[in-house]
């Protein structure tokens, strides 16, 4: 399976890859999102280490059970060859109605088929008032 655009990335194709990822994550569909990753993908997400596409699906399923009304915005930070770095923010509310904005950055590494083989994410959450939402 190939996921276009393929590396090596230029500015245009790196921005396309970022937009594709943003759109997929905003779908909140764990299976759709996971199709962008290799079968043996390696993730670090905050303090969790997640390995494999099936584990990604399980992680995202649980994530979106507790992060309600999730909305994400990603922005290209840097790129080179088969790597892309992004910064992002997303907002969500928890089950009791408190709103949060999460800020972070991700480092991505792709295989020759355009599938992400490594994703390293550093994320911080900030409780916000509903009136302070931006997304």
């Amino acid at each position: 399976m190939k996921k276009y655009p393929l590396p090596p990335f230029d500015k245009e194709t790196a921005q396309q890859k970022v937009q594709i990822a943003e759109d997929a994550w905003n779908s909140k569909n764990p299976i759709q999102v996971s199709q962008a990753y290799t079968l043996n993908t390696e993730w670090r997400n905050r303090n969790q280490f997640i390995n494999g596409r099936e584990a990604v699906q399980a992680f995202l399923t649980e994530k979106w059970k507790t992060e309600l009304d999730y909305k994400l915005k990603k922005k290209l930070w840097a790129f080179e060859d088969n790597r892309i770095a992004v910064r992002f923010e997303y907002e969500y509310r928890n089950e009791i109605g408190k709103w949060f904005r999460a800020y972070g950055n991700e480092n991505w590494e792709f295989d020759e088929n355009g599938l992400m083989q490594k994703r390293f994410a550093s994320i911080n959450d900030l409780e916000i008032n509903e009136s302070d939402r931006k997304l």
Side-chain angles (χ1 to χ4, degrees):
M1 180 169 66
K2 291 187 184 272
K3 283 288 188 180
Y4 293 92
L6 304 177
F9 300 111
D10 59 24
K11 186 173 184 180
E12 180 182 345
T13 58
Q15 287 177 322
Q16 288 173 357
K17 208 66 156 173
V18 171
Q19 188 61 57
I20 290 166
E22 177 184 308
D23 293 344
W25 280 69
N26 279 324
S27 77
K28 296 178 283 301
N29 180 327
I31 294 172
Q32 177 185 343
V33 172
S34 72
Q35 297 304 307
Y37 300 92
T38 61
L39 289 174
N40 61 347
T41 190
E42 297 176 30
W43 280 27
R44 189 195 77 233
N45 194 83
R46 290 185 167 98
N47 64 347
Q48 294 179 283
F49 294 86
I50 303 160
N51 294 296
R53 191 182 287 169
E54 289 183 14
V56 166
Q57 290 173 5
F59 168 80
L60 293 174
T61 297
E62 291 306 309
K63 172 185 179 67
W64 289 319
K65 283 182 183 176
T66 59
E67 293 182 4
L68 309 173
D69 297 319
Y70 176 95
K71 178 70 176 163
L72 166 74
K73 183 65 184 157
K74 291 183 182 281
K75 182 152 177 73
L76 177 65
W77 188 260
F79 64 93
E80 183 177 11
D81 300 323
N82 69 331
R83 294 185 177 107
I84 296 175
V86 298
R87 61 185 176 91
F88 63 88
E89 61 183 330
Y90 65 88
E91 294 175 344
Y92 65 94
R93 67 176 174 81
N94 66 14
E95 295 140 332
I96 62 170
K98 290 189 178 190
W99 282 92
F100 296 86
R101 184 175 304 119
Y103 297 96
N105 55 63
E106 295 175 329
N107 296 309
W108 301 341
E109 181 180 275
F110 295 86
D111 71 6
E112 67 279 357
N113 294 311
L115 295 169
M116 196 181 302
Q117 56 194 11
K118 295 185 181 183
R119 174 188 174 266
F120 301 117
S122 297
I123 307 166
N124 299 299
D125 294 297
L126 173 68
E127 188 173 339
I128 61 172
N129 295 318
E130 184 173 7
S131 61
D132 293 329
R133 292 179 57 209
K134 298 189 315 185
L135 304 178

